[in-house]
């Protein structure tokens, strides 16, 4: 690939909607410079991590691999990068996780092969390739350049842009690749099993906000979604001003079995009909939701706010409750609280004794702006669900 060909490919990648996190170990270092040196890099690159030492890679993947340079390690790196990209991107943006691990020429002779593995992971696709380079044919810098070229072409392929070039490989080199496609049911199974952290359905008229926009998230079971939910989100969005409104359902419940794939799909249909974005996550606890969506404004009812500050849900430990919620505060999460019936009495934020250390992270939704307390449970009873 010529210098002009590299620039053309990178410009096309930056023009695509895909956002990427790259995890690279043992090679393909030049692809980072190519991506970052062409204007528009912030359109594509969310983060680059280079876990070059063994200890760094161990900490990244959270386990000791059978081999550091292997197909499984590249897949693990790409999956971690994909989940990281989900956390860093704006809802609705397509993301890709890129994993690379190589064992290239070094300052001493290698007994084994000169090889590398590349993997890209998107919501519905996993691609993996193994390349074995002919020993003694190239210098370390040349091997790194070959791996960088091929990884750039892999990224361009994910972004659905052309990156044509003459082959970087010789007849004695070996290139193998395979690809897996995931349908919606498989993606939801992966979510329930904890493989991916969330799946988004951006039904809000295809609207995608800039990365700097905070999320306005209303968690709930939405069984069913009703006018009270929609009205509360509308009011919360006005109070927040700028933001991306998202409803959120956890497929995993702290006290009940996880939702089934069919249950999730049934609930998602409600949001498609309403034209509202919904996120399906696997985090039932608010502090975990905060880690997943840092900087977000969470829209909750007064009943949820009461539970949120109740030490009962933190092993009966008041200090533990404070520590966890202060952690949410430190990543700039806030809670917008709407009025709800609590033990038969309609309450708003002012009726709740919020600890002094946490008061500035709770924002009241005035009763004059929202005073609808519709019960999903009651609606299900009425409809015989």
């Amino acid at each position: 690939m010529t210098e002009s060909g590299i620039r053309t490919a990178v410009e096309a990648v930056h023009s695509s909607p895909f956002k990427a996190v790259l995890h690279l170990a043992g090679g393909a270092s030049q692809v980072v410079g190519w991506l970052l040196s062409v204007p528009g890099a912030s359109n594509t690159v969310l983060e680059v991590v280079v876990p070059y030492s063994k200890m760094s890679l161990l900490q990244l993947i959270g386990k000791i691999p059978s081999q550091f340079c292997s197909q499984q390690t590249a897949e693990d790196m790409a999956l971690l990068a994909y989940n990281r990209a989900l956390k860093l991107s704006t809802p609705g943006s397509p993301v890709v996780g890129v994993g690379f691990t190589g064992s290239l020429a070094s300052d001493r002779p290698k007994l084994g092969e000169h090889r590398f593995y590349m993997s890209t992971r998107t919501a519905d696709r996993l691609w993996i390739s193994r390349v074995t380079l002919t020993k003694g044919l190239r210098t370390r810098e040349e091997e790194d350049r070959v791996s960088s070229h091929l990884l750039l072409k892999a990224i361009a392929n994910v972004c659905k842009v052309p990156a044509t070039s003459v082959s970087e490989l010789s007849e004695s080199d070996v290139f193998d690749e395979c690809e897996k496609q995931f349908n919606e049911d498989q993606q939801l199974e992966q979510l329930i099993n904890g493989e991916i952290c969330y799946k988004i359905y951006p039904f809000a008229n295809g609207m995608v906000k800039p990365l700097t926009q905070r999320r306005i998230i209303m968690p709930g079971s939405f069984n069913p979604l009703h006018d009270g939910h929609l009205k509360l989100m509308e009011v919360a969005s006005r109070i927040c001003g700028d933001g991306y409104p998202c409803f959120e359902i956890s497929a995993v419940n702290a006290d009940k079995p996880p939702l089934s794939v069919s249950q999730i799909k049934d609930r998602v249909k409600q949001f498609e009909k309403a034209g509202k974005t919904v996120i399906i996550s696997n985090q039932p606890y608010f502090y975990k939701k905060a880690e997943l969506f840092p900087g977000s404004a969470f829209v909750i009812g007064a009943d949820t706010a009461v539970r949120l500050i109740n030490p009962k849900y933190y092993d009966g430990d008041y200090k533990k409750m404070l520590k966890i919620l202060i952690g949410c505060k430190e990543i700039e999460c806030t809670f917008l609280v709407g009025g709800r019936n609590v033990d038969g009495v309609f309450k708003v934020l002012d009726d709740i004794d919020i600890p002094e250390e946490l008061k500035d992270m709770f924002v009241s939704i005035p009763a004059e702006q929202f005073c609808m307390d519709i019960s999903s449970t009651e609606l299900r009873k009425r409809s015989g669900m």
Side-chain angles (χ1 to χ4, degrees):
M1 192 182 294
T2 64
E3 291 300 322
S4 63
I6 291 170
R7 185 179 181 89
T8 298
V10 172
E11 287 175 342
V13 166
H14 290 342
S15 296
S16 83
F18 276 86
K19 312 294 183 185
V21 168
L22 289 77
H23 289 166
L24 313 176
S29 63
Q30 294 172 62
V31 79
V32 179
W34 296 339
L35 288 170
L36 299 184
S37 63
V38 174
S42 60
N43 294 335
T44 303
V45 181
L46 296 170
E47 185 175 79
V48 178
V49 178
V50 183
Y52 210 79
S53 71
K54 286 186 176 181
M55 187 56 67
S56 178
L57 186 56
L58 285 175
Q59 291 186 16
L60 176 70
I61 64 177
K63 62 182 179 181
I64 300 175
S66 56
Q67 282 189 304
F68 283 86
C69 182
S70 67
Q71 175 175 328
Q72 187 59 56
T73 299
E75 287 187 30
D76 290 343
M77 293 169 77
L79 180 59
L80 287 164
Y82 172 73
N83 280 314
R84 179 67 173 162
L86 283 175
K87 295 176 184 179
L88 295 177
S89 66
T90 303
S93 298
V95 302
V96 55
V98 180
F100 177 98
T101 178
S103 179
L104 306 183
S106 66
D107 56 0
R108 54 187 181 274
K110 283 186 181 291
L111 295 176
E113 298 171 324
H114 293 198
R115 69 190 192 281
F116 57 88
Y117 296 85
M118 306 180 293
S119 181
T120 55
R121 174 64 193 254
T122 62
D124 62 355
R125 176 181 177 270
L126 169 67
W127 175 84
I128 184 78
S129 70
R130 171 185 169 134
V131 179
T132 305
L133 300 174
T134 306
K135 274 189 175 182
L137 185 62
R138 305 173 180 88
T139 65
R140 166 61 185 238
E141 184 178 6
E142 289 168 340
E143 288 190 352
D144 188 90
R145 188 172 179 84
V146 168
S147 64
S148 297
H149 280 158
L150 291 175
L151 187 59
L152 177 59
K153 290 170 72 173
I155 295 170
N157 183 52
V158 169
C159 297
K160 299 178 175 59
V161 300
T164 56
S165 70
V166 296
S167 175
E168 306 296 335
L169 300 175
S170 71
E171 290 183 358
S172 54
D173 298 324
V174 178
F175 179 92
D176 294 307
E177 65 178 340
C178 62
E179 182 177 354
K180 298 177 185 177
Q181 299 282 344
F182 308 118
N183 60 32
E184 183 183 9
D185 286 13
Q186 290 171 319
Q187 293 172 48
L188 292 173
E189 288 286 0
Q190 291 165 359
L191 185 145
I192 293 167
N193 295 335
E195 186 176 337
I196 60 175
C197 59
Y198 73 79
K199 178 174 173 59
I200 184 165
Y201 292 85
F203 294 133
N205 303 319
M207 181 175 57
V208 177
K209 298 281 188 178
L211 187 62
T212 53
Q213 296 268 257
R214 76 187 313 203
R215 298 173 178 92
I216 306 168
I217 298 177
M218 183 188 292
S221 59
F222 304 110
N223 185 28
L225 174 68
H226 55 64
D227 288 343
H229 296 134
L230 299 175
K231 176 64 175 177
L232 180 56
M233 177 62 91
E234 181 184 320
V235 173
S237 297
R238 283 204 305 267
I239 290 172
C240 283
D242 219 7
Y244 190 110
C246 307
F247 295 84
E248 184 259 348
I249 300 171
S250 176
V252 179
N253 191 295
D255 305 313
K256 302 175 185 177
L259 297 177
S260 67
V261 168
S262 61
Q263 286 175 318
I264 295 171
K265 291 169 75 173
D266 284 343
R267 295 190 194 183
V268 165
K269 287 176 184 176
Q270 302 175 105
F271 296 92
E272 182 176 18
K273 185 177 179 180
K276 305 296 181 183
T277 290
V278 61
I279 297 170
I280 311 299
S281 82
N282 56 14
Q283 297 297 348
Y285 300 109
F286 268 98
Y287 75 97
K288 288 293 185 180
K289 294 181 195 292
E291 291 174 5
L292 195 56
F293 309 112
S296 295
F298 290 95
V299 185
I300 61 176
D303 54 337
T304 301
V306 169
R307 291 194 299 272
L308 196 61
I309 60 170
N310 189 339
K312 169 186 172 181
Y313 300 101
Y314 304 85
D315 301 322
D317 190 332
Y318 182 85
K319 290 184 178 178
K320 182 178 180 180
M321 177 272 291
L322 275 184
K323 183 179 179 180
I324 287 175
L325 292 181
I326 287 172
C328 297
K329 180 179 174 180
E330 288 173 347
I331 53 177
E332 299 185 356
C333 287
T334 57
F335 295 97
L336 277 68
V337 183
R340 285 296 305 271
N341 276 318
V342 181
D343 299 327
V345 179
F346 187 83
K347 290 188 177 182
V348 295
L349 180 61
D350 288 344
D351 300 316
I352 303 170
D353 187 17
I354 303 292
E356 193 64 36
E357 301 93 326
L358 304 174
K359 281 187 174 179
D360 58 349
M361 69 184 297
F362 287 82
V363 179
S364 177
I365 297 176
E368 59 268 24
Q369 294 188 41
F370 179 81
C371 193
M372 297 173 64
D373 191 21
I374 302 172
S375 167
S376 293
T377 302
E378 188 60 34
L379 287 177
R380 288 198 301 275
K381 287 179 180 177
R382 290 179 195 171
S383 63
M385 292 173 65

